[in-house]
Amino acid sequence: MRFAVGFLVLPVTLYVIYVIAPYAQAFSIALTNWRGVNASPRFVGLENFRRLLEDTVFWKAVGHNLLLLVLLPVLTLVIALFFAFLLNAGGRGGAGGVWGSRFYRVVFFFPQVLAIAVIAVLFQQVFRPDRSGMLNAPLIAMGFEPIGFLSDTDIALWSILGVLVWQAVGFYVVLFSAGIASIPRELFEAAAIDGAGGPPMFFRITLPLLWDTIQVGWVYLGIIALDVFAIVWVMTPEQGGPDYSTTVMAAEIYRNAFEYSKFGYASAMGVVLFFFTIGFAALALRLSRRERIEF
């Protein structure tokens, strides 16, 4: 017992100092009107949270986060499962991967080695509304009007979603590939002998045996969807524009804290984001709980 406690003292102490203590401080700051390091905070109770109820920009940001929270995990996991199954169980009668699957895994994983800021700058160029834009150049050459992927309020957030899915899919392709590779080949071979095709193999063998991995991926992607600060701040005009059409909660926290010096108000937003994240993780784990299958 003493041996275990001796190993735990240092990491637990560091966790309390650098994780728990800042959270507690943020909760206390949310109850003040603190405006910066040199200003003395004044206790205002729940006033900041009352203001949040009337803040239309903040609730627009909440709506964007919720949209991403629903679509990002679904699209990413479905696409990643599809490609992982093809790469690992798509050849030799469903008992093995397709030719060149290792190369494809590297290609899919490549976006993961790029910093999110690099990806944002890269797709700024891809979405440019002129002949320099990778997507608009062919349209202009054919005589069509260019599409304002980041300047049109109706499609800007969908463009952000597309980039997020593109960036995340590769990691889950590799993750699910590792999970599928650990499934005994005999299961796929037996299913193939019984005449099962690709869809039955996927839904009756692959999906149930990967459920724990999918559950973890769902929670992780949901947490990403509740953040997405960096890509929105770097990639979009006016850092969340145009007209707040792509802003998210994390962007509004940063804006209020470091542009408007409303640290108390920004901390109140952070508290709301904290409870959103914890609530989502608990709900997702609860709803996706099922009996574990061992093999």
Side-chain angles (χ1 to χ4, degrees):
M1 182 65 180
R2 292 181 180 179
F3 183 76
V5 171
F7 273 102
L8 290 174
V9 167
L10 181 59
V12 170
T13 301
L14 293 175
Y15 186 81
V16 169
I17 293 174
Y18 292 107
V19 179
I20 302 299
Y23 274 128
Q25 189 176 24
F27 275 73
S28 63
I29 293 174
L31 301 176
T32 71
N33 68 340
W34 191 45
R35 298 188 61 84
V37 176
N38 296 325
S40 57
R42 181 173 62 86
F43 180 79
V44 296
L46 299 178
E47 176 63 21
N48 288 325
F49 295 97
R50 188 195 64 78
R51 289 175 56 197
L52 280 179
L53 296 176
E54 303 172 355
D55 191 336
T56 57
V57 173
F58 176 73
W59 287 108
K60 182 180 288 189
V62 171
H64 296 158
N65 276 117
L66 292 178
L67 178 65
L68 295 174
L69 181 62
V70 173
L71 295 180
L72 178 60
V74 171
L75 294 176
T76 302
L77 294 177
V78 168
I79 295 172
L81 279 169
F82 174 74
F83 284 123
F85 183 75
L86 289 182
L87 293 178
N88 293 273
R92 300 195 297 276
V98 297
W99 181 86
S101 59
R102 293 183 179 179
F103 170 76
Y104 292 130
R105 290 193 195 103
V106 173
V107 172
F108 281 124
F109 191 77
F110 180 72
Q112 290 295 314
V113 306
L114 299 177
I116 194 67
V118 174
I119 292 175
V121 173
L122 173 66
F123 274 91
Q124 274 184 328
Q125 303 305 311
V126 171
F127 290 148
R128 285 187 58 155
D130 54 32
R131 293 183 181 276
S132 300
M134 182 182 297
L135 297 180
N136 276 313
L139 295 178
I140 296 174
M142 291 185 292
F144 294 102
E145 290 292 326
I147 300 174
F149 290 100
L150 298 177
S151 58
D152 189 333
T153 57
D154 293 327
I155 63 174
L157 186 63
W158 298 100
S159 301
I160 296 293
L161 175 62
V163 175
L164 291 170
V165 172
W166 177 87
Q167 191 268 340
V169 160
F171 175 81
Y172 291 97
V173 168
V174 174
L175 182 65
F176 294 149
S177 294
I180 294 173
S182 67
I183 299 175
R185 296 291 97 187
E186 292 81 4
L187 295 177
F188 293 108
E189 293 170 356
I193 292 173
D194 289 340
M201 285 188 188
F202 176 78
F203 287 106
R204 297 182 182 180
I205 299 176
T206 305
L207 190 60
L209 295 179
L210 284 180
W211 189 256
D212 288 344
T213 306
I214 295 170
Q215 183 186 53
V216 174
W218 187 281
V219 174
Y220 183 66
L221 285 165
I223 293 173
I224 291 176
L226 289 171
D227 181 13
V228 297
F229 166 75
I231 198 164
V232 168
W233 199 261
V234 175
M235 187 174 170
T236 61
E238 304 168 12
Q239 288 77 44
D243 193 25
Y244 299 106
S245 61
T246 59
T247 192
V248 291
M249 285 187 280
E252 291 308 308
I253 292 171
Y254 184 92
R255 196 190 319 275
N256 279 274
F258 298 104
E259 290 187 3
Y260 306 151
S261 296
K262 298 178 180 178
F263 287 91
Y265 191 53
S267 294
M269 293 182 179
V271 170
V272 173
L273 179 57
F274 170 81
F275 282 111
F276 263 115
T277 306
I278 295 297
F280 163 74
L283 183 63
L285 290 173
R286 176 64 180 173
L287 294 179
S288 59
R289 182 184 301 173
R290 56 181 294 175
E291 183 179 352
R292 186 171 183 177
I293 300 176
E294 297 184 359
F295 54 91

